[in-house]
Amino acid sequence: MLVYDVTDEKSFNNIPKWIQKTQELASPNVTKMLIANKCDLNKQRVITRERGEQLAQDQEIRYVEISALSNLNVEDAFGTLTQDVYNNQVCLAAEGCTTLTVEEKAKQACCFH
C-alpha cells in the first residue's frame, strides 16, 4: 500500500519515488495499491481524486480513497488488496498463466469510490 495524504502535496509527489523503490527492491510481481488518505477533509484537500486516479492508471495499480479517522473504505481497501494478492499468486502458480497486457492491467486496476 502506497499511501498519501490528500491534504499534502508533498506526500503525493513522493509516491513515484516509493513506486520506484518498490520496483527496485520487491518481487516484480508484488501487488501494489495507491491509497488516498483523509478523503473526509474536503475543505483542506489539495490533491483531487482525478489526479490520484490518473497516477494509479499511469502506474497500472488500483486506487482507493479512504479516511482512516472515520474508517471509510479502510476494511474494503485491505480486503481488496488481499484478494488481489491471492489472485496474483494463483495466477503465477497456474500452468499456462499468461502475462497481462497493459490494457488488461488497466481494466483490473479499477478505482472504487
Side-chain angles (χ1 to χ4, degrees):
M1 289 186 160
L2 302 150
V3 182
Y4 71 91
D5 176 345
V6 300
T7 68
D8 182 0
E9 183 84 29
K10 184 177 178 183
S11 72
F12 180 77
N13 291 338
N14 282 327
I15 292 296
K17 176 182 75 170
W18 289 112
I19 290 172
Q20 180 182 355
K21 284 290 186 190
T22 302
Q23 291 169 336
E24 291 172 8
L25 301 173
S27 163
N29 298 314
V30 69
T31 302
K32 295 180 285 293
M33 176 184 282
L34 182 59
I35 304 288
N37 190 28
K38 299 186 182 179
C39 67
D40 57 317
L41 301 178
N42 288 322
K43 291 182 182 179
Q44 294 95 346
R45 187 177 193 132
V46 294
I47 307 299
T48 64
R49 175 187 295 272
E50 292 77 20
R51 283 182 67 195
E53 288 174 342
Q54 186 61 56
L55 178 59
Q57 185 177 8
D58 292 346
Q59 296 294 324
E60 299 174 353
I61 60 178
R62 189 180 297 276
Y63 175 79
V64 180
E65 291 206 345
I66 70 165
S67 169
L69 181 65
S70 65
N71 199 30
L72 177 67
N73 288 338
V74 174
E75 189 173 323
D76 291 339
F78 278 97
T80 299
L81 184 60
T82 302
Q83 188 65 50
D84 288 352
V85 169
Y86 174 78
N87 291 342
N88 188 36
Q89 292 305 309
V90 168
C91 182
L92 291 172
E95 284 190 8
C97 182
T98 59
T99 304
L100 297 177
T101 66
V102 171
E103 292 80 16
E104 291 167 330
K105 284 182 183 179
K107 287 178 186 174
Q108 285 188 352
C110 68
C111 306
F112 65 86
H113 308 280

